[in-house]
Amino acid sequence: MSAENTVRYWDPMPHLDAAISSLLPHGLRPSRDDFLKGVWGERNWRNVPGPFYGAMTDNCWVGRLHAPQHVLYGDDIEYEQEFLYRQPQTVEELRDVVVAMQQDPWAGWACDGDAQWSPSLVRGWWRERERLREWITVKHGQWSASTRADEREAAGGLRDYLAYVEGGLADYLRAYMYFLDSGASPAPGERVPEL
């Protein structure tokens, strides 16, 4: 551990059931088991490491309607399934992400990422960021010139994801690796693992 911590890690998992319960009057599914059935081995590689990830989600493009600063679409085939490009950092963001995940008719989202990720896997994901940048750049070129309004809107999300990769994502990942090792958020100024 050598890099100084500039951000704290916010753990959304203790707040998940309350976020789900707060949305029940809106007719959404009442239990995480009803809509978080994604499988780690099927996750989209574009998901940012953290507790939540999209696996075999539907391609109906509804996630950004509810969580535009967290959900994007893309796959290595023409399917364009949903994935999470930013983990929630507040209760409000968590509610938005929960609503987006509940809209998936295939229940392809999951919340067991903390049990799956390890610091070495996070580092491996980060080493692949050039692949991610290339994908974002190509997809942005396609969607920003599209005649479809939803693709042009999603192009803005791609710009946001690229800015996150170039900006605060490294700090988030260091704090997340600390959390994976210790089960707690690093204190301000505490050293966190290197990427």
Side-chain angles (χ1 to χ4, degrees), residues 1-6 49 118-127 129 169-181 186 189-195:
M1 292 193 178
S2 58
E4 290 243 349
N5 174 26
T6 58
S118 67
S120 64
L121 287 177
V122 172
R123 286 184 185 100
W125 185 90
W126 182 246
R127 282 192 299 271
R129 67 189 177 280
L169 180 54
D171 285 339
Y172 162 80
L173 292 174
R174 288 183 188 107
Y176 183 56
M177 288 190 303
Y178 183 99
F179 172 80
L180 289 173
D181 277 341
E190 190 169 2
R191 295 201 176 276
V192 293
E194 292 280 4
L195 279 172

Side-chain angles (χ1 to χ4, degrees), residues 26-54:
H26 302 287
L28 299 175
R29 291 176 256 190
S31 165
R32 68 170 78 175
D33 295 333
D34 292 334
F35 67 95
L36 295 172
K37 297 180 181 182
V39 177
W40 176 256
E42 297 175 346
R43 78 189 180 288
N44 190 317
W45 64 268
R46 296 160 185 85
N47 284 286
V48 164
F52 301 107
Y53 59 89

Side-chain angles (χ1 to χ4, degrees), residues 122-192:
V122 172
R123 286 184 185 100
W125 185 90
W126 182 246
R127 282 192 299 271
E128 293 288 317
R129 67 189 177 280
E130 190 54 41
R131 174 185 180 204
L132 184 61
R133 282 186 189 113
E134 290 173 12
W135 175 80
I136 291 171
T137 301
V138 169
K139 187 61 74 175
H140 182 268
Q142 294 168 355
W143 285 351
S144 62
S146 175
T147 58
R148 290 179 43 187
D150 58 350
E151 289 184 348
R152 290 192 310 274
E153 187 282 327
L158 290 168
R159 280 191 310 273
D160 188 35
Y161 192 8
L162 185 58
Y164 190 40
V165 171
E166 305 286 334
L169 180 54
D171 285 339
Y172 162 80
L173 292 174
R174 288 183 188 107
Y176 183 56
M177 288 190 303
Y178 183 99
F179 172 80
L180 289 173
D181 277 341
S182 69
S185 178
E190 190 169 2
R191 295 201 176 276
V192 293

Side-chain angles (χ1 to χ4, degrees), residues 81-150:
Q81 61 185 200
E82 296 182 344
F83 66 91
L84 206 66
Y85 77 96
R86 181 180 288 120
Q87 295 286 331
Q89 299 293 310
T90 66
V91 170
E92 294 77 21
E93 289 179 6
L94 177 60
R95 282 190 197 117
D96 293 344
V97 168
V98 166
V99 172
M101 292 186 301
Q102 286 187 337
Q103 299 301 311
D104 178 29
W106 289 2
W109 288 93
C111 66
D112 65 343
D114 292 346
Q116 306 292 342
W117 287 105
S118 67
S120 64
L121 287 177
V122 172
R123 286 184 185 100
W125 185 90
W126 182 246
R127 282 192 299 271
E128 293 288 317
R129 67 189 177 280
E130 190 54 41
R131 174 185 180 204
L132 184 61
R133 282 186 189 113
E134 290 173 12
W135 175 80
I136 291 171
T137 301
V138 169
K139 187 61 74 175
H140 182 268
Q142 294 168 355
W143 285 351
S144 62
S146 175
T147 58
R148 290 179 43 187
D150 58 350

